[in-house]
Amino acid sequence: MRLAVSTLGMPGEDLGRAIELAAGHGCQGLELRLHPDTGVHAGLDARERASVRERIEAAGLEISALAGYAGVCEPGPDQPVVEALLADLRLAADLGAPGVRVFPRGGDPSVGARRLRAVSGTAAELGRRVLVETHDAMATGAAVAALLAEADRPGTTGAIWDLLHPWRHGEPPARTLAELGPYLAYVQVKDAVSEQDTTPVPMGTGTVPLEEAGELLRAAGYDGWVSLEWERTWYPQVAPVEEILPGAAGWVRRFSS
C-alpha cells in the first residue's frame, strides 16, 4: 500500500505547505481537495495547472486523486453534473492524477449510472477514472457496488472505501470489502470517536475497526493508495495533520508487509 494525505486536513495552508507536509512525513502521494480555498480547482488555466504538477513532481510526490464534489446521483438535470465531471476529469489529466473522487448525493443508482456512462468515453480517452466514495446516501459498499454494476464501465469507474462510513452504517469491514470486490480502487483511512460522534481522533484511539480493515486489505493483496483523510477543515479544533500522519504511516507499513 502507498500512503497519501488529503489536503482536507490542511485548512488555510497553501500548496507549498501541503507538499512539505506530505514529503516530510513519508507520503508518496497527495490527495488534492478541489476547492478555491486550496488553490486547486477546474478553473485553473494551463499555466497554473502545469505549475501545480511540476511542484508536486519536483518533491518526488504523485497526486493520488483529486477530491471532487460532484454528486453523481444528485437529483436534478444531468447536464450540470456531467459538465462538472468532465471538467474535473480534464483537470486530472492535466495534473497527472489517476482519478477524481465523487460523492453519491442521492440514492437512485440509475441516475448515477447514466451519468457515469455519459462521461465514460472522455474518461477513457484521458486515461482517468471516476471514483465513487462510500458516503452520504450510498455509504455502504453494497450501495456503491450496485451503482457501479449498473453503470457497467469498469475501465473508467471505481470505488473509494472510506473506512468510517460503511461501518457506522452497520456494514462490517469484511462485507464492505466483499461487496466492493473488483471495484475497489482507493482507500481513505481515519479514526473517529464513535458511530454517532465522527469527530476525528488519532489513529488507533477511536472506535473505527482499523485493525480488522487492515488485515482484510492485506489478505486481499490490496496494494493501492491509502489516503489519510484528516477532516480538520470540518473540525478545526482537532490536532494539526502533522501530528496524525505518523500513525497513518505506521498503519500502512504494518498492513503492507
Side-chain angles (χ1 to χ4, degrees):
M1 291 187 273
R2 308 177 70 203
L3 177 65
V5 60
S6 171
T7 55
L8 184 66
M10 310 171 193
E13 304 286 7
D14 62 14
L15 181 62
R17 178 59 176 159
I19 292 170
E20 178 185 348
L21 285 168
H25 287 82
C27 296
Q28 292 82 48
L30 192 57
E31 179 185 310
L32 298 177
R33 176 179 179 241
L34 299 186
H35 193 277
D37 290 349
T38 70
V40 181
H41 51 83
L44 297 183
D45 62 28
R47 179 187 59 80
E48 291 167 328
R49 294 175 185 217
S51 174
V52 169
R53 182 168 185 167
E54 289 165 5
R55 292 173 68 189
I56 291 172
E57 291 178 350
L61 297 171
E62 299 176 39
I63 301 174
S64 59
L66 300 184
Y69 286 90
V72 72
C73 299
E74 186 171 3
D78 287 353
Q79 186 176 355
V81 178
V82 169
E83 289 178 354
L85 285 173
L86 291 173
D88 286 350
L89 286 165
R90 294 185 180 109
L91 178 64
D94 288 342
L95 298 185
V100 176
R101 186 280 306 277
V102 299
F103 288 139
R105 299 296 194 207
D108 187 343
S110 66
V111 172
R114 185 172 66 241
R115 293 165 178 172
L116 290 172
R117 289 192 294 268
V119 302
S120 181
T122 299
E125 290 171 7
L126 296 172
R128 311 296 140 176
R129 300 173 77 185
V130 180
L131 306 177
V132 183
E133 183 175 333
T134 53
H135 198 274
D136 56 78
M138 293 185 177
T140 64
V144 170
L147 165 61
L148 295 177
E150 185 162 346
D152 193 23
R153 294 295 187 273
T156 58
T157 62
I160 295 177
W161 180 11
D162 181 313
L163 298 186
L164 172 66
H165 297 301
W167 163 75
R168 75 184 190 91
H169 283 81
E171 187 178 70
R175 184 181 175 198
T176 303
L177 184 57
E179 293 282 0
L180 292 179
Y183 303 116
L184 182 61
Y186 199 89
V187 173
Q188 290 177 335
V189 67
K190 65 184 73 168
D191 209 346
V193 173
S194 70
E195 296 100 318
Q196 293 77 32
D197 182 353
T198 57
T199 302
V201 293
M203 297 278 291
T205 67
T207 55
V208 177
L210 297 176
E211 297 299 303
E212 181 182 356
E215 292 288 2
L216 288 164
L217 288 166
R218 177 165 58 187
Y222 178 75
D223 61 358
W225 287 107
V226 171
S227 178
L228 172 63
E229 192 182 48
W230 182 244
E231 297 182 327
R232 198 176 188 216
T233 294
W234 313 132
Y235 299 87
Q237 77 276 16
V238 300
V241 71
E242 55 265 37
E243 295 183 17
I244 310 304
L245 267 167
W251 187 90
V252 168
R253 285 194 302 270
R254 187 159 68 257
F255 295 111
S256 295
S257 57

